[in-house]
Amino acid sequence: MTSIKYWLMKSEPSDYSFDDLKNEENQTAEWDGVRNYQARNLLRDEIKVGDRVLYYHSNSKPSAVVGTAIVVRDGYPDFTAWDPTAKHPDPKSTEDDPIWFMVDIKAEVTFERIVSLKEIKNIPELSQMVLVKNSRLSVQPVSQEEFDFILVLGNEIQ
């Protein structure tokens, strides 16, 4: 049996928010549209069913972790890449030779309070997070300790 891994996935709430995920049938949706090779490799090779996800709203005021999700389908070809009407088409990606991959996630916990990037950057225990060091990556690993720490912060009632 493989052990659970932990991830942070970013989405602009104006594009696809945590509430959008929660409103999907079964609160489940594809994590599609990733067009970065490093993030693609994680989606294709590393992220597996049962892994836990911090759902992060980027380019928002404030940018923050707003909840958690769980991976419910391993990586598979991102079919939106070969759809010319999709938001992020890539004519080089085809059904026979896919370039981009996605996973399916299911909404899990909505935080009682958001955990902002500013707050994360000011917590010594979170200083080594990829989010703090390379905030541009849309899919990134998180340690179990970082995940648990943020989970506690997000469920503190102010």
Side-chain angles (χ1 to χ4, degrees):
M1 182 175 159
T2 59
S3 62
I4 293 173
K5 292 182 182 173
Y6 299 86
W7 308 95
L8 182 141
M9 294 183 178
K10 293 179 170 186
S11 182
E12 295 183 18
S14 60
D15 186 41
Y16 194 82
S17 70
F18 193 63
D19 284 339
D20 292 331
L21 176 62
K22 292 187 319 186
N23 289 328
E24 294 283 352
E25 184 177 340
N26 299 319
Q27 297 188 343
T28 302
E30 303 96 12
W31 194 263
D32 63 15
V34 173
R35 300 296 182 262
N36 169 285
Y37 287 100
Q38 188 176 359
R40 183 271 322 257
N41 293 348
L42 296 173
L43 291 167
R44 182 188 66 198
D45 304 330
E46 300 290 330
I47 300 173
K48 301 295 179 193
V49 169
D51 285 358
R52 306 278 306 280
V53 175
L54 293 172
Y55 199 106
Y56 182 88
H57 281 170
S58 61
N59 291 332
S60 59
K61 295 194 185 316
S63 292
V65 180
V66 298
T68 68
I70 189 165
V71 177
V72 294
R73 184 175 176 189
D74 289 352
Y76 60 101
D78 183 345
F79 54 79
T80 67
W82 55 78
D83 177 357
T85 65
K87 288 184 182 177
H88 307 284
D90 182 348
K92 292 181 244 138
S93 184
T94 66
E95 287 186 65
D96 294 330
D97 188 19
I99 296 172
W100 306 109
F101 285 74
M102 60 184 168
V103 298
D104 290 358
I105 63 171
K106 179 175 183 167
E108 197 175 38
V109 173
T110 303
F111 283 179
E112 296 292 329
R113 70 173 194 90
I114 64 170
V115 182
S116 73
L117 177 60
K118 181 178 180 182
E119 181 178 359
I120 290 168
K121 285 182 172 182
N122 287 319
I123 298 172
E125 294 89 345
L126 301 176
S127 66
Q128 296 305 307
M129 282 187 75
V130 175
L131 181 66
V132 172
K133 297 182 169 291
N134 181 8
S135 63
R136 295 193 50 80
L137 193 58
S138 63
V139 177
Q140 51 192 251
V142 175
S143 73
Q144 181 177 354
E145 293 75 19
E146 293 163 345
F147 184 95
D148 291 344
F149 198 100
I150 291 174
L151 190 63
V152 169
L153 291 174
N155 288 299
E156 289 178 348
I157 299 176
Q158 297 284 325

mmCIF file of all heavy atoms in Angstrom, residues 75-104:
data_model
loop_
_atom_site.group_PDB
_atom_site.id
_atom_site.type_symbol
_atom_site.label_atom_id
_atom_site.label_comp_id
_atom_site.label_asym_id
_atom_site.label_seq_id
_atom_site.Cartn_x
_atom_site.Cartn_y
_atom_site.Cartn_z
ATOM 1 N N GLY A 75 -4.047 10.364 -12.144
ATOM 2 C CA GLY A 75 -3.820 11.151 -13.340
ATOM 3 C C GLY A 75 -4.228 10.436 -14.626
ATOM 4 O O GLY A 75 -3.997 9.244 -14.785
ATOM 5 N N TYR A 76 -4.828 11.195 -15.525
ATOM 6 C CA TYR A 76 -5.234 10.703 -16.843
ATOM 7 C C TYR A 76 -5.164 11.869 -17.822
ATOM 8 O O TYR A 76 -5.108 13.035 -17.406
ATOM 9 C CB TYR A 76 -6.627 10.061 -16.799
ATOM 10 C CG TYR A 76 -7.759 10.971 -16.354
ATOM 11 C CD1 TYR A 76 -8.628 11.543 -17.289
ATOM 12 C CD2 TYR A 76 -7.977 11.248 -15.000
ATOM 13 C CE1 TYR A 76 -9.671 12.364 -16.884
ATOM 14 C CE2 TYR A 76 -9.014 12.064 -14.594
ATOM 15 C CZ TYR A 76 -9.872 12.619 -15.540
ATOM 16 O OH TYR A 76 -10.906 13.428 -15.145
ATOM 17 N N PRO A 77 -5.149 11.592 -19.140
ATOM 18 C CA PRO A 77 -4.975 12.672 -20.109
ATOM 19 C C PRO A 77 -6.027 13.780 -19.959
ATOM 20 O O PRO A 77 -7.223 13.500 -19.799
ATOM 21 C CB PRO A 77 -5.106 11.969 -21.453
ATOM 22 C CG PRO A 77 -4.650 10.572 -21.178
ATOM 23 C CD PRO A 77 -5.172 10.274 -19.789
ATOM 24 N N ASP A 78 -5.560 15.010 -19.997
ATOM 25 C CA ASP A 78 -6.432 16.181 -19.922
ATOM 26 C C ASP A 78 -7.037 16.412 -21.300
ATOM 27 O O ASP A 78 -6.429 17.030 -22.173
ATOM 28 C CB ASP A 78 -5.639 17.392 -19.451
ATOM 29 C CG ASP A 78 -6.498 18.641 -19.272
ATOM 30 O OD1 ASP A 78 -7.646 18.669 -19.779
ATOM 31 O OD2 ASP A 78 -6.008 19.596 -18.648
ATOM 32 N N PHE A 79 -8.249 15.934 -21.455
ATOM 33 C CA PHE A 79 -8.933 16.017 -22.757
ATOM 34 C C PHE A 79 -9.294 17.438 -23.139
ATOM 35 O O PHE A 79 -9.570 17.719 -24.305
ATOM 36 C CB PHE A 79 -10.173 15.113 -22.785
ATOM 37 C CG PHE A 79 -11.136 15.362 -21.657
ATOM 38 C CD1 PHE A 79 -12.026 16.428 -21.684
ATOM 39 C CD2 PHE A 79 -11.146 14.517 -20.563
ATOM 40 C CE1 PHE A 79 -12.911 16.652 -20.641
ATOM 41 C CE2 PHE A 79 -12.024 14.727 -19.506
ATOM 42 C CZ PHE A 79 -12.914 15.797 -19.550
ATOM 43 N N THR A 80 -9.256 18.384 -22.198
ATOM 44 C CA THR A 80 -9.549 19.773 -22.560
ATOM 45 C C THR A 80 -8.455 20.353 -23.446
ATOM 46 O O THR A 80 -8.690 21.311 -24.170
ATOM 47 C CB THR A 80 -9.743 20.662 -21.318
ATOM 48 O OG1 THR A 80 -8.499 20.789 -20.610
ATOM 49 C CG2 THR A 80 -10.813 20.090 -20.389
ATOM 50 N N ALA A 81 -7.268 19.749 -23.406
ATOM 51 C CA ALA A 81 -6.152 20.257 -24.224
ATOM 52 C C ALA A 81 -6.429 20.088 -25.707
ATOM 53 O O ALA A 81 -5.958 20.888 -26.517
ATOM 54 C CB ALA A 81 -4.854 19.550 -23.847
ATOM 55 N N TRP A 82 -7.155 19.051 -26.095
ATOM 56 C CA TRP A 82 -7.413 18.858 -27.527
ATOM 57 C C TRP A 82 -8.794 19.346 -27.938
ATOM 58 O O TRP A 82 -9.265 19.069 -29.035
ATOM 59 C CB TRP A 82 -7.138 17.421 -27.978
ATOM 60 C CG TRP A 82 -7.834 16.299 -27.254
ATOM 61 C CD1 TRP A 82 -9.130 15.912 -27.424
ATOM 62 C CD2 TRP A 82 -7.275 15.415 -26.305
ATOM 63 N NE1 TRP A 82 -9.406 14.851 -26.623
ATOM 64 C CE2 TRP A 82 -8.282 14.511 -25.922
ATOM 65 C CE3 TRP A 82 -6.010 15.281 -25.733
ATOM 66 C CZ2 TRP A 82 -8.069 13.490 -24.998
ATOM 67 C CZ3 TRP A 82 -5.812 14.268 -24.811
ATOM 68 C CH2 TRP A 82 -6.815 13.399 -24.451
ATOM 69 N N ASP A 83 -9.429 20.141 -27.063
ATOM 70 C CA ASP A 83 -10.707 20.776 -27.386
ATOM 71 C C ASP A 83 -10.428 22.243 -27.727
ATOM 72 O O ASP A 83 -10.110 23.035 -26.843
ATOM 73 C CB ASP A 83 -11.645 20.668 -26.191
ATOM 74 C CG ASP A 83 -12.976 21.377 -26.412
ATOM 75 O OD1 ASP A 83 -13.170 22.007 -27.476
ATOM 76 O OD2 ASP A 83 -13.826 21.302 -25.503
ATOM 77 N N PRO A 84 -10.543 22.615 -29.015
ATOM 78 C CA PRO A 84 -10.218 23.992 -29.403
ATOM 79 C C PRO A 84 -11.118 25.043 -28.762
ATOM 80 O O PRO A 84 -10.775 26.219 -28.728
ATOM 81 C CB PRO A 84 -10.356 23.991 -30.928
ATOM 82 C CG PRO A 84 -11.175 22.792 -31.251
ATOM 83 C CD PRO A 84 -10.982 21.808 -30.133
ATOM 84 N N THR A 85 -12.271 24.631 -28.209
ATOM 85 C CA THR A 85 -13.171 25.595 -27.570
ATOM 86 C C THR A 85 -12.930 25.704 -26.059
ATOM 87 O O THR A 85 -13.563 26.511 -25.393
ATOM 88 C CB THR A 85 -14.639 25.214 -27.822
ATOM 89 O OG1 THR A 85 -14.907 23.959 -27.176
ATOM 90 C CG2 THR A 85 -14.936 25.106 -29.313
ATOM 91 N N ALA A 86 -12.021 24.894 -25.519
ATOM 92 C CA ALA A 86 -11.732 24.927 -24.083
ATOM 93 C C ALA A 86 -10.925 26.176 -23.734
ATOM 94 O O ALA A 86 -10.381 26.850 -24.612
ATOM 95 C CB ALA A 86 -10.968 23.670 -23.684
ATOM 96 N N LYS A 87 -10.803 26.453 -22.430
ATOM 97 C CA LYS A 87 -10.063 27.635 -21.977
ATOM 98 C C LYS A 87 -8.569 27.549 -22.259
ATOM 99 O O LYS A 87 -7.911 28.568 -22.424
ATOM 100 C CB LYS A 87 -10.271 27.844 -20.477
ATOM 101 C CG LYS A 87 -11.632 28.339 -20.114
ATOM 102 C CD LYS A 87 -11.713 28.613 -18.625
ATOM 103 C CE LYS A 87 -13.100 29.078 -18.241
ATOM 104 N NZ LYS A 87 -13.210 29.287 -16.803
ATOM 105 N N HIS A 88 -8.011 26.330 -22.262
ATOM 106 C CA HIS A 88 -6.559 26.157 -22.415
ATOM 107 C C HIS A 88 -6.240 25.078 -23.452
ATOM 108 O O HIS A 88 -5.613 24.072 -23.116
ATOM 109 C CB HIS A 88 -5.924 25.790 -21.070
ATOM 110 C CG HIS A 88 -6.270 26.737 -19.963
ATOM 111 N ND1 HIS A 88 -5.707 27.980 -19.849
ATOM 112 C CD2 HIS A 88 -7.140 26.631 -18.928
ATOM 113 C CE1 HIS A 88 -6.206 28.597 -18.791
ATOM 114 N NE2 HIS A 88 -7.083 27.806 -18.219
ATOM 115 N N PRO A 89 -6.627 25.287 -24.706
ATOM 116 C CA PRO A 89 -6.338 24.254 -25.716
ATOM 117 C C PRO A 89 -4.842 24.204 -26.043
ATOM 118 O O PRO A 89 -4.127 25.194 -25.880
ATOM 119 C CB PRO A 89 -7.146 24.712 -26.928
ATOM 120 C CG PRO A 89 -7.243 26.197 -26.770
ATOM 121 C CD PRO A 89 -7.297 26.443 -25.288
ATOM 122 N N ASP A 90 -4.389 23.027 -26.458
ATOM 123 C CA ASP A 90 -3.012 22.869 -26.916
ATOM 124 C C ASP A 90 -3.049 21.956 -28.134
ATOM 125 O O ASP A 90 -3.193 20.741 -27.995
ATOM 126 C CB ASP A 90 -2.128 22.273 -25.830
ATOM 127 C CG ASP A 90 -0.673 22.149 -26.266
ATOM 128 O OD1 ASP A 90 -0.380 22.308 -27.473
ATOM 129 O OD2 ASP A 90 0.170 21.876 -25.398
ATOM 130 N N PRO A 91 -2.923 22.509 -29.335
ATOM 131 C CA PRO A 91 -3.038 21.697 -30.554
ATOM 132 C C PRO A 91 -1.966 20.609 -30.668
ATOM 133 O O PRO A 91 -2.140 19.655 -31.418
ATOM 134 C CB PRO A 91 -2.931 22.712 -31.689
ATOM 135 C CG PRO A 91 -2.414 23.962 -31.083
ATOM 136 C CD PRO A 91 -2.711 23.924 -29.620
ATOM 137 N N LYS A 92 -0.870 20.723 -29.894
ATOM 138 C CA LYS A 92 0.166 19.683 -29.930
ATOM 139 C C LYS A 92 -0.237 18.448 -29.129
ATOM 140 O O LYS A 92 0.325 17.375 -29.315
ATOM 141 C CB LYS A 92 1.491 20.234 -29.409
ATOM 142 C CG LYS A 92 2.108 21.271 -30.339
ATOM 143 C CD LYS A 92 3.425 21.768 -29.775
ATOM 144 C CE LYS A 92 3.256 23.226 -29.483
ATOM 145 N NZ LYS A 92 3.762 23.767 -28.307
ATOM 146 N N SER A 93 -1.193 18.595 -28.229
ATOM 147 C CA SER A 93 -1.673 17.483 -27.421
ATOM 148 C C SER A 93 -2.833 16.804 -28.148
ATOM 149 O O SER A 93 -3.764 17.473 -28.596
ATOM 150 C CB SER A 93 -2.147 17.982 -26.053
ATOM 151 O OG SER A 93 -2.518 16.908 -25.235
ATOM 152 N N THR A 94 -2.756 15.486 -28.286
ATOM 153 C CA THR A 94 -3.808 14.736 -28.978
ATOM 154 C C THR A 94 -4.217 13.534 -28.131
ATOM 155 O O THR A 94 -3.525 13.157 -27.184
ATOM 156 C CB THR A 94 -3.312 14.227 -30.345
ATOM 157 O OG1 THR A 94 -2.269 13.262 -30.123
ATOM 158 C CG2 THR A 94 -2.800 15.364 -31.224
ATOM 159 N N GLU A 95 -5.331 12.917 -28.512
ATOM 160 C CA GLU A 95 -5.768 11.707 -27.805
ATOM 161 C C GLU A 95 -4.712 10.609 -27.903
ATOM 162 O O GLU A 95 -4.498 9.865 -26.944
ATOM 163 C CB GLU A 95 -7.087 11.203 -28.380
ATOM 164 C CG GLU A 95 -8.273 12.061 -27.988
ATOM 165 C CD GLU A 95 -9.589 11.470 -28.448
ATOM 166 O OE1 GLU A 95 -9.946 10.378 -27.959
ATOM 167 O OE2 GLU A 95 -10.249 12.103 -29.285
ATOM 168 N N ASP A 96 -4.064 10.498 -29.063
ATOM 169 C CA ASP A 96 -3.048 9.465 -29.252
ATOM 170 C C ASP A 96 -1.723 9.799 -28.577
ATOM 171 O O ASP A 96 -0.947 8.900 -28.245
ATOM 172 C CB ASP A 96 -2.803 9.225 -30.755
ATOM 173 C CG ASP A 96 -4.020 8.636 -31.435
ATOM 174 O OD1 ASP A 96 -4.792 7.905 -30.760
ATOM 175 O OD2 ASP A 96 -4.213 8.909 -32.633
ATOM 176 N N ASP A 97 -1.456 11.083 -28.389
ATOM 177 C CA ASP A 97 -0.197 11.515 -27.781
ATOM 178 C C ASP A 97 -0.470 12.693 -26.837
ATOM 179 O O ASP A 97 -0.126 13.846 -27.134
ATOM 180 C CB ASP A 97 0.796 11.917 -28.871
ATOM 181 C CG ASP A 97 2.187 12.186 -28.315
ATOM 182 O OD1 ASP A 97 2.481 11.734 -27.189
ATOM 183 O OD2 ASP A 97 2.975 12.854 -29.016
ATOM 184 N N PRO A 98 -1.100 12.399 -25.684
ATOM 185 C CA PRO A 98 -1.449 13.499 -24.770
ATOM 186 C C PRO A 98 -0.205 14.094 -24.104
ATOM 187 O O PRO A 98 0.720 13.372 -23.756
ATOM 188 C CB PRO A 98 -2.357 12.820 -23.739
ATOM 189 C CG PRO A 98 -1.952 11.389 -23.761
ATOM 190 C CD PRO A 98 -1.502 11.100 -25.169
ATOM 191 N N ILE A 99 -0.215 15.394 -23.948
ATOM 192 C CA ILE A 99 0.876 16.091 -23.264
ATOM 193 C C ILE A 99 0.478 16.397 -21.823
ATOM 194 O O ILE A 99 1.286 16.295 -20.918
ATOM 195 C CB ILE A 99 1.235 17.394 -24.009
ATOM 196 C CG1 ILE A 99 1.778 17.086 -25.396
ATOM 197 C CG2 ILE A 99 2.223 18.228 -23.205
ATOM 198 C CD1 ILE A 99 1.974 18.303 -26.271
ATOM 199 N N TRP A 100 -0.778 16.768 -21.615
ATOM 200 C CA TRP A 100 -1.233 17.284 -20.327
ATOM 201 C C TRP A 100 -2.107 16.260 -19.613
ATOM 202 O O TRP A 100 -2.819 15.489 -20.246
ATOM 203 C CB TRP A 100 -1.971 18.599 -20.531
ATOM 204 C CG TRP A 100 -1.130 19.570 -21.291
ATOM 205 C CD1 TRP A 100 -1.298 19.995 -22.574
ATOM 206 C CD2 TRP A 100 0.069 20.196 -20.830
ATOM 207 N NE1 TRP A 100 -0.292 20.852 -22.927
ATOM 208 C CE2 TRP A 100 0.568 20.995 -21.875
ATOM 209 C CE3 TRP A 100 0.766 20.162 -19.626
ATOM 210 C CZ2 TRP A 100 1.725 21.748 -21.753
ATOM 211 C CZ3 TRP A 100 1.927 20.922 -19.503
ATOM 212 C CH2 TRP A 100 2.390 21.704 -20.560
ATOM 213 N N PHE A 101 -2.059 16.311 -18.284
ATOM 214 C CA PHE A 101 -2.797 15.352 -17.464
ATOM 215 C C PHE A 101 -3.594 16.072 -16.383
ATOM 216 O O PHE A 101 -3.345 17.228 -16.072
ATOM 217 C CB PHE A 101 -1.831 14.338 -16.840
ATOM 218 C CG PHE A 101 -1.347 13.331 -17.835
ATOM 219 C CD1 PHE A 101 -0.409 13.680 -18.801
ATOM 220 C CD2 PHE A 101 -1.852 12.047 -17.852
ATOM 221 C CE1 PHE A 101 0.028 12.770 -19.745
ATOM 222 C CE2 PHE A 101 -1.433 11.119 -18.793
ATOM 223 C CZ PHE A 101 -0.489 11.478 -19.746
ATOM 224 N N MET A 102 -4.563 15.360 -15.829
ATOM 225 C CA MET A 102 -5.396 15.900 -14.760
ATOM 226 C C MET A 102 -5.741 14.774 -13.792
ATOM 227 O O MET A 102 -5.532 13.598 -14.085
ATOM 228 C CB MET A 102 -6.655 16.539 -15.331
ATOM 229 C CG MET A 102 -7.556 15.620 -16.112
ATOM 230 S SD MET A 102 -8.917 16.604 -16.802
ATOM 231 C CE MET A 102 -9.621 15.448 -17.949
ATOM 232 N N VAL A 103 -6.252 15.144 -12.642
ATOM 233 C CA VAL A 103 -6.779 14.205 -11.657
ATOM 234 C C VAL A 103 -8.184 14.688 -11.295
ATOM 235 O O VAL A 103 -8.554 15.808 -11.609
ATOM 236 C CB VAL A 103 -5.903 14.128 -10.380
ATOM 237 C CG1 VAL A 103 -4.503 13.622 -10.695
ATOM 238 C CG2 VAL A 103 -5.844 15.466 -9.660
ATOM 239 N N ASP A 104 -8.938 13.834 -10.645
ATOM 240 C CA ASP A 104 -10.234 14.251 -10.119
ATOM 241 C C ASP A 104 -10.108 14.438 -8.617
ATOM 242 O O ASP A 104 -9.451 13.642 -7.934
ATOM 243 C CB ASP A 104 -11.310 13.195 -10.393
ATOM 244 C CG ASP A 104 -11.677 13.081 -11.868
ATOM 245 O OD1 ASP A 104 -11.132 13.843 -12.701
ATOM 246 O OD2 ASP A 104 -12.516 12.217 -12.190
#
